[in-house]
Amino acid sequence: MEPLYGPIRDYAWGSRSAIALLQGRVVPSAGPEAELWLGAHPGAPASVDRAGLRVSLCDLVRDEPGQWLGQRVSERFGSRLPFLLKVLAADAPLSLQAHPDAEQARAGYAAEAGLPEGRRNYSDPHHKPELLVALTPFEALCGFREPAESAEALAGFGVPELAPVVAALRAGPVGLRTAVRTLLDWPVSERDGLLGSVVAASADGPDAELARRLTKAYPADPGVLVALLLHHVRLVPGEAIWMPAGNLHAYLSGCGVEIMAASDNVLRGGLTPKRVDVDELMRVLRFEVLHDPVRAARPVGPGVDWWPVPVDDFALHRVRVGAAVPSATLPLPGPRVVLCAGGSITVDDGAGALTLASGEAAIGTAAGEPLRISGAGEAYVATSGLR
């Protein structure tokens, strides 16, 4: 194993404490720190040391796919690391968004060839399913809830203009498409008045509180009302949310470990000053109820848990070692990225042992032996989902 150095993205919604605390740095940080990227995505690749210089992991994987990925991973995904591990830290809501499936991504990327960057929805031909595990209490909107619940929430505001949306939702899942389209197409000149009426009429309750909160952050944004059609979940540390393709979601607050397919394809639906392509979003969305967005960890051995997902781009394991479980061995094939999320751990893949403090990361090639983790701390291990 060898040290892996990940860049921190400074998006405006980021926290000025969460990642700094994880890495043992001074709080508050100089500016917002939203995401720590630990992978080989070209947008912000991590790096390793080579002869005293930092070398991009993108370049190493591209030039030596057999060593870094192994035969099975490189045959399946080509000369690229198929997953991206992140630490995500939100102090303000992220945009309402969804991601395409693999077929939609390939088609969308090809169709937009030649368009300037500002008019593109697709930056690559890959899908982007996501799993996020809470490190702190974490709040999110994820997937459509039962339309009848959403209908009652909107009807409770007593705003006559919302009657067509309420009627569509009371028709059940078949009305979700109509409800979302109506809200996103709301005339720009009338959005201030609509959200003003909603906030003024808001009674006490979770939906009213959420509407007030989102309207304060994003006035005149119809995504505020679309957000009320989604599950509003609060995770405790160790709980996870799984976001498959086509599910509308937004992270609101908290810090978590996120793993995803290595893509940057995002279709936005509101709660953002960035471009929203309503037609393309509607094409990608799945207008169905997401019945169980929250996933609990599943034990697979002493001190080792994982969150099974139905994709082969990635898998994520959590390892907790200490007095009760001094060490754990994971027979996971490479490549492997390890993040220490607390305490101090030693990771050894047979090619070399490395001690990591909280917030530090390591990477091992495909040629490594079963991964052994010891010490007193918590680690997250990212690998491909191929077995």
Side-chain angles (χ1 to χ4, degrees), residues 199-372:
V199 172
S202 293
D204 291 334
D207 292 300
E209 189 279 330
L210 180 61
R212 287 192 293 267
R213 176 178 163 194
L214 294 179
T215 301
K216 183 177 180 180
Y218 297 100
D221 190 324
V224 169
L225 295 177
V226 177
L228 300 183
L229 311 186
L230 307 180
H231 293 282
H232 185 187
V233 301
R234 291 177 174 83
L235 306 178
V236 299
E239 287 186 321
I241 44 178
W242 160 241
M243 283 292 100
N247 278 274
L248 201 58
H249 62 283
Y251 300 145
L252 301 180
S253 66
C255 183
V257 172
E258 186 178 32
I259 188 168
M260 62 187 64
S263 169
D264 204 24
N265 286 324
V266 178
L267 282 305
R268 294 179 176 85
L271 308 185
T272 178
K274 296 182 179 179
R275 178 173 176 264
V276 175
D277 185 334
V278 175
D279 289 338
E280 189 63 17
L281 176 68
M282 296 296 293
R283 192 180 73 83
V284 164
L285 283 181
R286 294 181 179 175
F287 292 98
E288 58 192 29
V289 175
L290 183 64
H291 290 288
D292 188 18
V294 179
R295 298 199 170 193
R298 180 181 298 180
V300 292
V304 182
D305 304 306
W306 79 312
W307 297 265
V309 293
V311 294
D312 59 8
D313 305 74
F314 61 79
L316 184 67
H317 289 74
R318 178 182 61 188
V319 180
R320 291 179 287 188
V321 290
V325 181
S327 67
T329 300
L330 287 75
L332 301 172
R336 294 166 289 202
V337 173
V338 181
L339 167 71
C340 180
S344 174
I345 60 169
T346 298
V347 292
D348 189 352
D349 65 351
L354 180 68
T355 298
L356 300 176
S358 180
E360 294 181 336
I363 188 168
T365 69
E369 299 174 3
L371 183 66
R372 184 174 184 272

Side-chain angles (χ1 to χ4, degrees), residues 1-5 38 47-51 53-55 57 60 64 67-68 336-339 347-349 351-356 360-365 371:
M1 301 295 288
E2 58 182 306
L4 183 67
Y5 304 98
L38 298 168
S47 58
V48 297
D49 281 329
R50 289 291 180 271
L53 299 175
R54 295 280 175 90
V55 178
L57 188 59
L60 294 177
E64 303 170 345
Q67 176 183 350
W68 285 95
R336 294 166 289 202
V337 173
V338 181
L339 167 71
V347 292
D348 189 352
D349 65 351
L354 180 68
T355 298
L356 300 176
E360 294 181 336
I363 188 168
T365 69
L371 183 66

Side-chain angles (χ1 to χ4, degrees), residues 151-236:
E152 293 312 304
L154 295 189
F157 294 129
V159 176
E161 293 88 343
L162 289 176
V165 180
V166 172
L169 292 169
R170 284 177 173 160
V174 296
L176 275 171
R177 178 183 293 273
T178 299
V180 172
R181 185 86 210 203
T182 300
L183 291 171
L184 292 179
D185 284 344
W186 209 274
V188 174
S189 61
E190 300 176 11
R191 291 176 181 177
D192 265 332
L194 175 66
L195 290 177
S197 297
V198 167
V199 172
S202 293
D204 291 334
D207 292 300
E209 189 279 330
L210 180 61
R212 287 192 293 267
R213 176 178 163 194
L214 294 179
T215 301
K216 183 177 180 180
Y218 297 100
D221 190 324
V224 169
L225 295 177
V226 177
L228 300 183
L229 311 186
L230 307 180
H231 293 282
H232 185 187
V233 301
R234 291 177 174 83
L235 306 178
V236 299

